[in-house]
Structures are given as structure tokens and as C-alpha cells.
Amino acid sequence: MSKEKIKISEALYDIMPSDYQDLVKSATYGKEDRGWKDIGNNKELIEQHSLCAGCPESMAFRYILASLPNPEDTVMVGSTGCTSLVFPMVAVHNIHSLFGNQNAIASGLKRALSVRFPDRTKDVVVLAGDGATVDIGLDMTLQAWFRQEKFTTICFDNELYANTGGQESGLMQKGFVAKMAPVGKLFDKVRLPEIARESGCHYVVNCTVSKPSLVEKVIRNAVHIAREIGPTYLQLYTPCILEIGKNSMEGLQEMRDSEKPTERFAYKEYVSEPAKQLLAELAAKDKERKAAAKQLAGKA
Amino acid sequence: MADIHSVIGTKNKKGQTYTDTWKLMNEAPRTPSFYTGSEVIKEAVRRASCDVMIAYPITPQSEAAALIGELFAEGYIGDYFRGESEFAVMSQCAGAAFGGARVFTTTAGPGTMRAMENFPMWSGARLPIQMIVTCRGINSPLSIQPDTLEIAYLLNTGMLVWHAETAQDFFDWILKGYMVSEEPDVHLPLALCCDGFFVTHTKDVVNLTPADMCLPPYDPYRSPVPCMDMECPPVRMMRDPFVMKSNYISYATHASWQQEVWAAVERSRKHSIKWLNGLIDVENADAEIMLLASGTAVSQSREAIRLLEDEGVRCGLVKVKTLRPWPEEEIREATKNAKHIFVPEFNVTGWLAKELKATIPNHERVHAGPRVAGGMTMPPEIIVNEIKTTLGLKKSFVMAGRGS
Ligand SMILES: Cc1ncc(C[n+]2csc(CCOP(=O)(O)OP(=O)(O)O)c2C)c(N)n1
Ligand code: SF4
């Protein structure tokens, strides 16, 4: 999408909703250096949300949308769950279809976009809950990776089915008592990051969303690698404060506690060899570009 | 943005000429060819300018899906791949259609059922995907034989549902189907059904249009909903998601959208009439005894009519081509003189007879049968005997030993 396309006809300007006017005036479409620091200064690609107050998913959404390298040509695919309540307020095209079929939808979408726009970059990003990713949709998640589909899969891991009131999920910790796990969950948290690596993902990260700069980095890496090389997977801890019994203000601390070195969301990253090479090339280009920009600014 | 009018007469990557569809279907020379139904599907897809085809094997459509793979290898289709299950395949089809592609897929019986959640999603999202359903048994014990039970489930999904009788229907309707389902005032998926094996595995003479002519490409910007490719601005028109909000507006929005989907099914009527030359075909409209059928039951009925004629019993026929939209008016008109209407069906529940009864006045005229199920053939003599038994005429055929 060119930025021209979102321009509003002058005749209609005053009847457009003000948030749309803002979007056209000051959204960060088409800006190579966009990132989390734009939040609060530029029009964000996400409006209000209907998640519970203080839900870490809302933070994660903001950071992710601020970090997409190419939002003007990015389509997101969601799934049924708490995340699907947010997507209607997001200013990139997004598809909500059914529960668990997000990676299948994304496979068809990415291929259709490649057929229709062979010479353009069109990114596809999947964002779904752990139930959708590892339980009902696991076959479609894995098969998209086996087939080396070129898109990023993000799992909002809140370790349970939040939207239906906290039932057992495959990513829930062993022993956790939940609805549908009345005597405590009987098996370990499914090791999806490892499975992702073994299934052909070229970039896998397991972390929390406590640090915006970290989220920005992993999102950019994941999207660039998916675009050029193959599937990438991010598992982000976005605790369901409601179901684990925390207050609205306690989500951040919960994430900080669980990312300590011995905890289950200690930062873990896997980068395949071709992906490493690509990241190095991108870093070099970025450096060059920034140096050139600086020089230009100096001359002006 | 593809302007389909400007491409007419130009060539695609494969060297086929984009041809005005009306001319292609009605004026282009036809070559009689002796093909199986599966091969005919391939030949139709060759001419259909499909962007994406997604495949999964299940008898009796596996062969068609594999043959279309050959077309991809030859360069006739933008992309082709096998999904992991029918649920996934139909989701992949949805993704491709959301992205603005002309999409084709095929399935049968249990595959249709496994994918079922996708179909109302397709129509609700206004995705003009074409799915061939080569009907086969779905209930236990396992059967791979033709049985049209899955059509009953498709009738309420909001998809267009057509039921082809012959391979010739198939060839023409695959191409015409895209023309109807891609109309901006329709823009709905099409389930193009046939009776597996009877059509897919039987060789027949089919008149094919030239292989170097093809349909104009799909223009996704003629859709009533935005194409998900970020070529138009994302419209945040929903201040609240529809789902799971206990407020009247969301209920009303959802309800009115469902009505709009069904209104679109209705709006497809005029286009289907134009392309299919009517939603039904009628023979001997003035007869007091009528047969009403869809799919290969039509062929069996024709044969039964011939046998009855030899014995001096005159009988008429209504061939129902489109089940959605349902040809209510046409059927009422065609059956207005009938004292008895027989509905032969290849399924155990008799969904077509039920549809008919709900449509016409004096529905006690409807004799819901004969019926065969589980993949059995329906010898025309069964139809003849059913009519004679019901009307108290002397039976002329002894059926012992028949059947398969
Ligand atoms: C086929 C189907 N089965 C069940 C449901 C009910 N359902 C809706 S959301 C949900 C759980 C979602 O959990 P998760 O993917 O972890 O997302 P979260 O809500 O935790 O963000 C379930 C079971 C459904 N919508 N569709
Ligand atoms: S239920 Fe849990 S995950 Fe869902 S919005 Fe509320 S806090 Fe967040």
C-alpha cells in the first residue's frame, strides 16, 4: 500500500473520524526507522482495546505494531481468543477466521500475495493464543513450518485458555490447577520453541514482553528472516492476570519474575545459519544507511 | 488493479488468450473429447485462470486433485500444494481468497464434513472459492461409494450449491461458476457437487472449448468487502468487535450480515439463470406424473421415463441444477399440473424431497423415493416399479438379483 492511498479526499475530510484523520497525518507507515519509541509521539496502529485492564497482551500488541518493519504492506492473521477482541482496533489488514486455523490461513494468504505481487514485499504475521497455536491448531502450526511457509508466527502464551475462562492448555505449567485441570495439569509445558526449531523455523525466541526494545528487536528479526528465508516463531509470555489472580498493576512484575535465568521465560533464542548471515547483512546495510543519512544531515 | 476488460484478447504467461466468458462458453468452437470426469475437471481448470489450488486426497476426488497438480507443473496455475487435512485445506483456501486469489479445491464425503466449520466462514467472509464435491458416503461403516448426504449439510452454509448431472455439466459449470460467484452482488463460494464415481470415473464424450483460451482473471477489487492485501486502507469501522459482546448492536450486526449473505445467494439467481439457461430443465411439463431429481438421479429418471413410455405411461422430468439458490418459483410452475411427483435420490434421508415438500402446494403429491444409499446404483427399473406400485399399476420388472 502506498501512503498516497490512505489520503482522505478533501471534500470528505471533516466527516472522517478524528482518529482516522490522525492516522493519515501521523501514522508511521512507510518509515524505515519506526519502533517502540514512536509510541506516544506518532499515531499508533492500535486504538483502545477491549482486554482486561492491565492485561500484558495490550502492551505486547502496542510494541509489536510499533515494530513491524513494513506495516503498510503487512497483513496479520489472528485466531479466536482474547487477541481476537483487539484486532478490530488495529490499523493493518487482519483476518480472524476460526479457532486454530491461523497458520493455514496464513499459508494460503502468503502464497496468494506472492502470486499476485511477485515483485513486492508483502509480510504476513500470525498472532494467536497458546490454545490456538499449540492445541487445537498444532497440526496447522507445525505443517506450516515443515512446508517452510514464509511468515512469522507469534504465540501469546498466557499458559491457559483465557477467553473461555481459564481451561487447561498445552503450554500450561505442570501441576497448575485450572478449569478442566481439576487435579492439576498432568503433563509438562509443551516445549514448543524446541519443536519449532526442529520443525524448520529459522528464528525462534522465547521471552516475555517486559522490555519494549527487546520486543522490537525480535519482531524485526522475525519478520525479516521470514520474508527472506523461512518460518520464524516467537513465544511471548503475556500472563493472564485475571486467571492467575493478579491485579491490573502486577502484570509487569509477573513477567519480570518469570524471565529470571532459572525461570521458564528466561530469554532463549535460536538463529539458523542462513538467518545469522541475513541478520549480519541487514545490520551492515542499516549501519551504512544511517551513516549516509548522518552525512546528508551534516551537509544540510 | 486488474482491469479484466483491458486484458481480453491478451495472452497470459502460458500463452492462453483471455477470452470474454460469454463468447468462450457460447461461441468458441468445441471439440468432442472422450474423458473421465476427473480429466474433465482438469480440462476446466486449465481454462479457468486459477491463481491457487490446494489439494488433499480422498476418494473419489484424489485423481482430479492429482491431475490439477500436473497443470501446475505445466505452469497453468499460480500455486498448488497439499494441505495437512481438509480443515486445513479449506482454511488455506480461505487465506488465499482473502489475499485476492481465484481459488480452486476438491473434496469428497468425509473430507467435506471435516472441513465443515470453514464453509459458513467462507460465505460470511464473502470468499468466492470454488470447491468441487465428488459426493461419497460419510457414515459408518466405512464406504467410499457415491452417496449425496454431504449435500444436505452444505445447503445451510450460505454457499451456492449446484449439482451436476454429467461431465459436460461439470466442464461448463466450473467455468460459469466463477462468473456467478465472483459477481460483486454475489461474491460467495460455490460448492459444485457431483455423484462420485458415476461422474468422476466414467468416460463420456465432452465438448471442450479450445485449450488456448481461458477465463479473464479474477479482479479482487470487485469484492463487496476489502481484499486483505493492504492495497486499500484498513478501515477501522468497528469500534467494538462483534464477538462476545452482550450488546444489542453486535447481535443486530451479526444477524443482519447473515441476512445479507442469504440475500446474496438470492441475488445469484439472475446470474445463474443467465449462465445455466435456467435453474431447472423441464421435460413433458404437462404430464400428470413428474420426476424431480438432481445429479445422476436425473439420468436414471430419463431412462425410467423412456421405459414407462414404452408401456404407454407418460411421465415428465424436472432436473434441478442449482440447489442454492433453490429454484422455488420454477419448480412450482413446472409441477403445477402434476398429480404425482416422485423424487429419486442417492441418499438415505431424502433431503431433496424435503426441500420440494416445503416448496409446493399440496405436498402430499410428493412421493419421497425411490432412494438408494451407501453407493448402490439406482437401476431405472426401480424408479419404474416405485411409480407403478404407488399408482397401483402392474409391475413389469422383477428386481431380484439386481443391484451392486
Ligand atoms: C472450534 C472451537 N472450539 C472451541 C471454541 C471456544 N474457544 C474460544 S477461545 C478459546 C480459547 C482460546 O485460548 P487461547 O488460544 O490460549 O487464547 P487466549 O484467549 O488465552 O488469548 C476456546 C476454547 C471455539 N471458538 N471454536
Ligand atoms: S482474560 Fe486474561 S488474557 Fe484475556 S484479556 Fe483478561 S487478563 Fe488478558
Side-chain angles (χ1 to χ4, degrees):
Chain A
M1 183 182 78
S2 100
K3 207 167 174 213
E4 284 302 298
K5 287 198 179 153
I6 66 169
K7 271 194 180 160
I8 304 171
S9 152
E10 259 172 50
L12 299 174
Y13 199 90
D14 57 335
I15 61 159
M16 288 299 277
S18 60
D19 68 287
Y20 202 89
Q21 295 173 2
D22 291 347
L23 191 71
V24 174
K25 262 195 300 197
S26 60
T28 53
Y29 288 128
K31 187 167 160 260
E32 232 170 315
D33 289 322
R34 63 194 307 277
W36 74 272
K37 287 192 178 128
D38 295 319
I39 294 176
N41 299 318
N42 285 72
K43 179 67 180 173
E44 293 177 38
L45 301 186
I46 177 170
E47 284 294 329
Q48 305 93 321
H49 60 80
S50 47
L51 298 170
C52 300
C55 174
E57 285 194 1
S58 63
M59 255 198 244
F61 255 107
R62 286 231 142 83
Y63 302 158
I64 290 168
L65 283 158
S67 311
L68 293 173
N70 181 31
E72 58 278 9
D73 276 310
T74 300
V75 183
M76 296 189 75
V77 183
S79 187
T80 311
C82 285
T83 52
S84 54
L85 300 175
V86 180
F87 273 114
M89 272 79 91
V90 169
V92 296
H93 280 167
N94 51 79
I95 298 172
H96 168 255
S97 52
L98 301 172
F99 184 32
N101 68 346
Q102 60 281 349
N103 279 37
I105 293 272
S107 301
L109 175 68
K110 177 70 192 187
R111 283 163 181 259
L113 295 177
S114 306
V115 169
R116 292 189 55 226
F117 303 96
D119 307 320
R120 295 255 304 275
T121 299
K122 294 269 180 187
D123 294 322
V124 171
V125 175
V126 163
L127 200 168
D130 47 309
T133 308
V134 78
D135 296 320
I136 193 171
L138 185 63
D139 55 346
M140 287 166 276
T141 307
L142 294 185
Q143 294 276 349
W145 296 342
F146 299 158
R147 284 194 307 262
Q148 294 286 293
E149 303 285 355
K150 290 180 150 179
F151 61 81
T152 297
T153 303
I154 304 172
C155 171
F156 273 4
D157 180 6
N158 54 19
E159 305 197 294
L160 43 74
Y161 293 2
N163 196 255
T164 37
Q167 293 85 355
E168 173 178 319
S169 104
L171 291 188
M172 181 177 276
Q173 301 171 66
K174 188 173 177 178
F176 192 87
V177 176
K179 292 163 200 131
M180 299 190 186
V183 293
K185 188 187 172 222
L186 295 175
F187 61 99
D188 279 327
K189 187 174 171 75
V190 172
R191 299 206 294 269
L192 198 56
E194 289 164 50
I195 296 173
R197 188 190 66 206
E198 294 298 318
S199 306
C201 285
H202 290 269
Y203 183 69
V204 181
V205 169
N206 179 47
C207 66
T208 79
V209 295
S210 71
K211 299 180 196 75
S213 51
L214 186 71
V215 177
E216 180 181 309
K217 186 189 94 177
V218 301
I219 292 289
R220 293 185 72 84
N221 287 351
V223 172
H224 280 130
I225 293 168
R227 187 189 292 168
E228 301 295 332
I229 300 175
T232 56
Y233 175 60
L234 306 178
Q235 186 165 315
L236 306 177
Y237 183 41
T238 53
C240 173
I241 46 175
L242 192 76
E243 290 296 330
I244 58 173
K246 303 261 172 187
N247 292 328
S248 335
M249 301 306 287
E250 292 172 342
L252 188 57
Q253 193 53 47
E254 167 64 22
M255 291 191 280
R256 284 183 178 147
D257 290 343
S258 58
E259 71 196 10
K260 288 182 180 139
T262 53
E263 293 296 329
R264 61 197 188 288
F265 287 99
Y267 185 81
K268 264 190 239 134
E269 181 186 71
Y270 163 76
V271 195
S272 75
E273 283 309 316
K276 272 184 201 156
Q277 210 177 321
L278 178 79
L279 290 181
E281 282 164 24
L282 289 175
K285 262 193 215 149
D286 212 34
K287 211 165 147 191
E288 232 171 75
R289 187 176 59 82
K290 281 185 179 147
K294 213 167 168 188
Q295 218 177 4
L296 211 66
K299 271 189 204 153
Chain B
M1 191 183 290
D3 176 354
I4 56 161
H5 299 293
S6 65
V7 301
I8 301 286
T10 67
K11 289 195 191 309
N12 67 10
K13 272 193 276 180
K14 211 37 213 170
Q16 291 173 300
T17 306
Y18 291 121
T19 308
D20 175 83
T21 315
W22 189 258
K23 289 195 177 134
L24 178 69
M25 300 315 294
N26 298 306
E27 292 166 26
R30 298 257 186 167
T31 313
S33 316
F34 194 48
Y35 275 148
T36 66
S38 302
E39 288 165 339
V40 166
I41 295 176
K42 174 185 180 180
E43 289 311 313
V45 175
R46 190 196 295 281
R47 293 152 175 84
S49 301
C50 286
D51 297 306
V52 178
M53 152 78 190
I54 305 167
Y56 197 84
I58 183 168
T59 308
Q61 63 84 42
S62 306
E63 194 184 342
L67 289 170
I68 297 167
E70 291 177 9
L71 280 183
F72 170 64
E74 291 171 34
Y76 283 97
I77 302 173
D79 205 346
Y80 169 96
F81 65 112
R82 179 196 56 77
E84 51 270 44
S85 71
E86 288 83 356
F87 181 80
V89 164
M90 302 314 162
S91 305
Q92 284 149 357
C93 287
F98 272 118
R102 179 178 284 159
V103 183
F104 188 82
T105 193
T106 50
T107 191
T112 322
M113 300 312 287
R114 177 156 299 194
M116 195 50 88
E117 192 187 359
N118 283 277
F119 305 134
M121 183 268 281
W122 283 5
S123 42
R126 309 297 289 273
L127 305 172
I129 298 160
Q130 188 168 143
M131 170 175 69
I132 299 291
V133 183
T134 62
C135 294
R136 99 168 224 198
I138 51 178
N139 40 8
S140 204
L142 178 67
S143 166
I144 58 163
Q145 299 302 327
D147 186 317
T148 59
L149 215 44
E150 67 265 63
I151 293 180
Y153 297 85
L154 289 168
L155 292 178
N156 298 322
T157 55
M159 295 178 75
L160 306 179
V161 184
W162 297 0
H163 197 179
E165 178 194 353
T166 59
Q168 184 70 56
D169 282 350
F170 235 23
F171 178 77
D172 292 339
W173 294 3
I174 287 172
L175 299 169
K176 292 173 174 180
Y178 279 120
M179 293 304 103
V180 175
S181 67
E182 291 171 3
E183 282 288 350
D185 63 345
V186 179
H187 226 87
L188 287 174
L190 166 65
L192 178 45
C193 307
C194 78
D195 307 341
F197 292 110
F198 299 153
V199 178
T200 53
H201 287 57
T202 308
K203 273 204 164 185
D204 203 352
V205 176
V206 178
N207 292 310
L208 303 182
T209 58
D212 60 359
M213 291 181 174
C214 63
L215 291 189
Y218 172 51
D219 177 0
Y221 304 113
R222 290 173 80 233
S223 168
V225 294
C227 173
M228 294 286 152
D229 59 5
M230 287 299 276
E231 291 302 307
C232 62
V235 184
R236 293 184 303 188
M237 56 195 166
M238 290 186 281
R239 297 304 308 176
D240 263 332
F242 294 161
V243 287
M244 285 175 274
K245 284 273 167 178
S246 303
N247 65 46
Y248 179 73
I249 289 176
S250 75
Y251 300 151
T253 311
H254 194 91
S256 59
W257 187 248
Q258 287 193 50
Q259 289 167 37
E260 158 54 14
V261 167
W262 283 95
V265 174
E266 288 306 306
R267 293 194 297 263
S268 75
R269 211 174 270 279
K270 57 184 179 294
H271 304 295
S272 311
I273 290 170
K274 173 180 132 191
W275 286 104
L276 303 182
N277 198 19
L279 307 183
I280 62 170
D281 287 340
V282 189
E283 290 169 28
N284 298 342
D286 57 337
E288 288 191 354
I289 307 166
M290 291 296 275
L291 283 158
L292 182 137
S294 66
T296 50
V298 176
S299 309
Q300 305 307 92
S301 300
R302 275 206 193 93
E303 192 55 21
I305 291 172
R306 199 183 58 72
L307 294 174
L308 283 163
E309 238 163 47
D310 289 348
E311 297 188 52
V313 181
R314 192 157 183 274
C315 200
L317 173 69
V318 177
K319 166 176 170 168
V320 181
K321 295 188 271 191
T322 65
L323 299 163
R324 292 290 179 270
W326 173 244
E328 194 169 324
E329 290 296 323
E330 289 89 338
I331 288 175
R332 240 184 253 154
E333 178 63 26
T335 55
K336 69 172 192 260
N337 299 322
K339 295 209 168 86
H340 304 278
I341 309 163
F342 290 83
V343 188
E345 288 187 63
F346 282 94
N347 70 79
V348 76
T349 61
W351 50 261
L352 185 58
K354 285 180 194 150
E355 292 273 316
L356 176 64
K357 281 185 188 170
T359 301
I360 58 167
N362 307 329
H363 67 75
E364 64 286 351
R365 294 181 290 159
V366 176
H367 304 278
R371 259 180 237 159
V372 292
M376 265 187 274
T377 54
M378 180 153 27
E381 294 85 349
I382 287 186
I383 303 176
V384 170
N385 276 355
E386 177 96 5
I387 293 175
K388 288 189 162 183
T389 309
T390 310
L391 302 183
L393 304 171
K394 191 171 166 290
K395 277 203 216 175
S396 40
F397 299 100
V398 180
M399 298 306 297
R402 285 298 295 263
S404 54

